[in-house]
Amino acid sequence: MILDGIDVFVRVVQEGSFSAAARQLGMPTTTVSAKIARLEERLGVTLIQRSTRRMHVTEAGAAYFAHCVQALDALEAGESQLAATGSEPSGLLRVTAPSDIASTALPPLCERFLAAYPKVDLDLVVTNRQIDLIAEGVDLAVRAGPMRDSTMLSRKFVSGRLGLWASAAYLERRGTPRSLADLADHEMIAFSRMPEAFTLFAGTEKFMLPTQTRIRADDMQTIRTFVLRGAGIGILPDFNAVMPDSPLVRVLPQFSTEPGGVYFVYPAQRFMTVNVRAFMDMARAMMAEHPGAE
C-alpha cells in the first residue's frame, strides 16, 4: 500500500477546496492538485470532480474518504502510543542471566526497577546457556566475559573479581585462614570450568590455587549454596561484596583474581527500547551506590 497523497486527499475534502488544503499543508496548490491526480491514477477512479469555481467529491471519493480517515486516525494513535512508550517504560521486559547473577545481583535491582516503573512486567530467563536473544524473544542478557557475537551490542555493567568466601559458621568451626598456607587445612570448593589452577593476586604477590578440590561445580550458585551450608571455602565472584544482605565472609580479602567484566548484551538495532535503557541505567546507578562495585 502506498500512502503518499492520502493525507492530502483527506485534507482537501475536510477543507472543501484545494487552495485551503494547500494553506493548511504548507505547500503550493499545484502540488496538492498533482498529488490528488497521482492518487486517482493509481486507484483508477475519480475521487474529486473539479471545476474553476468548485469541487465535488464523487460517491467513490466519499466512500474512500471514510476509510482514509479511519486509517490515518489509527496511524496517529499508533504514533502516539509509540511516543508514550518511548517516554515511560511499560509492557514486558525479558532478561536472561546465569544463575549466580540472577540470584545475587538481579533480585534487588529488579525489585527497585518494578517499583519505579509499575507499568512494566519482568520475565527472567535464568540459564547458564548463552541463548539466541532474537530467536527466543529476549530483550537483554547479562553475561560475564567478552562478547563474541558481532550482531549484538554490549554495555558494561560492572567489573568483578573472584575471591575466597566462607560462611561465618564454617570459619567458627574450622578457624579463619591467616595465610595462603593455612588453606591446606581447609575444605575448598572450586568452579570446575576453570583451568587446573588459577591465579590469585595481592599486589605483586600471586598464588596458583588448584581447582582439583573435593567439591567442584560448574555453576556459581551451586558453589554459593555449598558455601552457605558451611561445606568449605568457595571461589566466588565479589557480587557478594556489593550486596548489602550477603551472609558470606571474605577470606584472605587481599587475594583475588584480575577483574573481569560483566556486560549487558542486546540485539543491534537502530533504536534501543525504553525498557532496556531504563533497566541498564538503573543497574549502573545501583551498583555505583556500593563501594565494592568497580
Side-chain angles (χ1 to χ4, degrees):
M1 178 180 292
I2 301 174
L3 298 179
D4 184 42
I6 291 178
D7 56 337
V8 175
F9 166 69
V10 168
R11 187 55 61 91
V12 168
V13 174
Q14 290 173 335
E15 295 297 327
S17 74
F18 283 68
S19 58
R23 285 193 297 271
Q24 289 292 326
L25 294 169
M27 61 179 63
T29 303
T30 54
T31 302
V32 171
S33 181
K35 284 182 175 289
I36 297 298
R38 284 197 297 270
L39 178 62
E40 291 176 326
E41 181 178 359
R42 180 168 61 83
L43 296 174
V45 65
T46 299
L47 300 173
I48 298 174
Q49 293 175 333
R50 311 155 179 84
S51 68
T52 55
R53 297 182 126 186
R54 61 189 297 264
M55 54 165 268
H56 170 70
V57 180
T58 65
E59 183 176 352
Y64 188 63
F65 169 80
H67 290 292
C68 290
V69 169
Q70 291 180 359
L72 292 177
D73 286 345
L75 288 172
E76 184 177 355
E79 290 187 0
S80 298
Q81 183 177 358
L82 284 176
T85 302
S87 60
E88 180 183 3
S90 62
L92 179 64
L93 175 64
R94 301 193 75 212
V95 180
T96 183
S99 59
D100 58 316
I101 297 175
S103 60
T104 54
L106 284 191
L109 168 61
C110 292
E111 289 171 3
R112 182 182 295 192
F113 182 75
L114 292 173
Y117 302 109
K119 295 181 180 179
V120 175
D121 294 327
L122 190 62
D123 181 14
L124 291 180
V125 182
V126 181
T127 176
N128 293 331
R129 175 176 59 92
Q130 289 203 5
I131 66 175
D132 185 327
L133 301 186
I134 297 175
E136 300 192 35
V138 174
D139 302 297
L140 185 66
V142 185
R143 293 175 177 169
M147 185 184 64
R148 298 180 177 88
D149 189 343
S150 61
T151 66
M152 296 288 146
L153 299 177
S154 66
R155 179 184 293 184
K156 193 170 186 179
F157 175 18
V158 66
S159 292
R161 301 172 186 263
L162 294 177
L164 301 174
W165 296 83
S167 69
Y170 174 86
L171 296 176
E172 183 177 352
R173 185 175 74 252
R174 298 288 298 270
T176 300
R178 301 301 177 188
S179 67
L180 291 171
D182 292 343
L183 294 178
D185 298 325
H186 287 269
E187 296 292 338
M188 302 297 295
I189 307 169
F191 187 50
S192 61
R193 283 189 280 162
M194 284 287 185
E196 291 185 0
F198 68 99
T199 307
L200 294 175
F201 296 88
T204 58
E205 187 179 0
K206 64 181 181 180
F207 172 72
M208 300 296 290
L209 186 69
T211 56
Q212 296 303 309
T213 57
R214 293 187 64 198
I215 301 176
R216 297 181 297 277
D218 66 353
D219 173 63
M220 286 292 183
Q221 180 56 23
T222 301
I223 294 174
R224 188 173 189 268
T225 300
F226 274 110
V227 173
L228 284 168
R229 293 176 62 85
I233 299 173
I235 302 163
L236 290 170
D238 59 7
F239 289 121
N240 297 291
V242 300
M243 293 298 105
D245 59 348
S246 174
L248 300 181
V249 178
R250 185 72 178 266
V251 175
L252 300 174
Q254 68 273 30
F255 285 94
S256 63
T257 62
E258 292 184 318
V262 177
Y263 297 86
F264 290 116
V265 179
Y266 48 96
Q269 52 193 359
R270 184 177 177 188
F271 300 106
M272 182 191 300
T273 68
V274 66
N275 288 354
V276 168
R277 180 181 293 108
F279 189 85
M280 291 195 297
D281 289 347
M282 181 168 287
R284 291 174 61 85
M286 186 173 177
M287 282 299 174
E289 296 172 4
H290 300 286
E294 296 186 26

